[in-house]
Amino acid sequence: MPGSGGQLTPVQREQLLPLVAPTRHDPDDASPAFLCQATEILDATRPLPFTRLAQYPHHVRNWGLRRLVKVMLVALLNKYQVLSRRLPRRLQVKDGATFPAMHGSLRETPPSPFELQPGDRVRIKSREEIEATLDANNANRGLIFDVEELRFCGQEATVLQRVDRIIDERTGRMIDFNSDAYVLDGIVCPGDYHRLCARGIYSYWRAVWLEKLPPRP
């Protein structure tokens, strides 16, 4: 248990070192790279090629035929869209934009209109309202709005917690958030535009994408 004020005592820190050391690359580095399931899963679970037919019966059992067909058609379309950016313009569809396309256009994106606390009730704004807060990279102050979040527009949710730092899954480096970001209870990535990725990771939300609701009676 932590000592007074929530801080670890020197003895407790010494006891934790054998557990913490294996989670880091270069532990003496000022900004070490961390190891965990999230950082290793990208290498351990690569999507199978489209031509590997043995995967589809499993997908049908897990997700249903209708959803599988929809997801695979979108994946094939987006694959062509990305490749078409190297083709003559006449062979491109909407300049190679992937589906579904967001169209942010701001040069300077708006800040948070309020602070949220765990337990606060919110309503996720409409696609048009969120799009109006994004720059050309579909980001608000550096945080990209993931199109996987579109299906939740208009829904009500409860704030689970504020996010102040995360570990970059690709590099293992700790990233500090300079602006507000929240996760909502039960709102996780459905994987519809990532070939039914089943990781179910939380989505990050700016307060400007949310409407604060009064507490329940």
Side-chain angles (χ1 to χ4, degrees):
M1 296 293 291
S4 60
Q7 299 296 319
L8 296 175
T9 66
V11 174
Q12 290 169 337
R13 288 182 180 277
E14 189 71 22
Q15 292 172 338
L16 283 175
L17 283 178
L19 301 177
V20 174
T23 68
R24 301 186 177 197
H25 288 304
D26 303 322
D28 296 329
D29 192 342
S31 58
F34 292 85
L35 288 169
C36 66
Q37 288 178 325
T39 61
E40 301 305 297
I41 198 170
L42 293 177
D43 290 328
T45 56
R46 298 288 181 183
L48 294 175
F50 285 101
T51 54
R52 187 73 63 84
L53 300 181
Q55 65 183 300
Y56 296 112
H58 298 285
H59 290 336
V60 171
R61 287 195 294 269
N62 290 334
W63 308 109
L65 179 60
R66 182 176 180 179
R67 187 179 181 193
L68 175 62
V69 170
K70 177 182 177 181
V71 167
M72 296 308 294
L73 287 176
V74 170
L76 288 170
L77 169 64
N78 286 340
K79 192 174 186 67
Y80 172 78
Q81 289 294 84
V82 172
L83 293 175
S84 71
R85 295 168 189 171
R86 302 179 180 179
L87 300 178
R89 196 175 185 87
R90 59 187 174 82
L91 298 178
Q92 297 178 5
V93 180
K94 294 187 176 180
D95 297 323
T98 54
F99 177 87
M102 298 288 286
H103 300 288
S105 59
L106 300 180
R107 291 192 175 184
E108 184 174 351
T109 53
S112 169
F114 46 72
E115 292 288 327
L116 292 168
Q117 301 296 327
D120 285 348
R121 293 177 58 241
V122 296
R123 179 183 291 112
I124 300 169
K125 292 182 176 180
S126 69
R127 173 177 181 156
E128 293 75 20
E129 289 174 306
I130 293 175
E131 202 169 53
T133 70
L134 305 177
D135 60 20
N137 295 318
N138 292 325
N140 177 280
R141 289 167 292 145
L143 180 62
I144 294 176
F145 180 80
D146 192 335
V147 293
E148 294 281 2
E149 300 170 346
L150 283 172
R151 69 181 303 177
F152 303 110
C153 288
Q155 294 188 22
E156 295 184 11
T158 302
V159 176
L160 189 61
Q161 68 181 60
R162 178 174 176 134
V163 180
D164 294 315
R165 54 171 51 182
I166 63 171
I167 293 177
D168 187 330
E169 297 169 351
R170 299 187 181 279
T171 66
R173 301 289 180 180
M174 187 74 74
I175 299 175
D176 292 315
F177 279 29
N178 297 321
S179 303
D180 66 295
Y182 302 91
V183 293
L184 306 180
D185 192 15
I187 303 295
V188 297
C189 175
D192 288 341
Y193 306 112
H194 293 83
R195 292 185 59 186
L196 295 173
C197 169
R199 296 170 62 195
I201 58 176
Y202 282 107
S203 303
Y204 301 131
W205 301 85
R206 294 288 195 215
V208 74
W209 300 337
L210 307 170
E211 176 187 350
K212 192 173 182 179
L213 299 176
R216 296 186 186 277

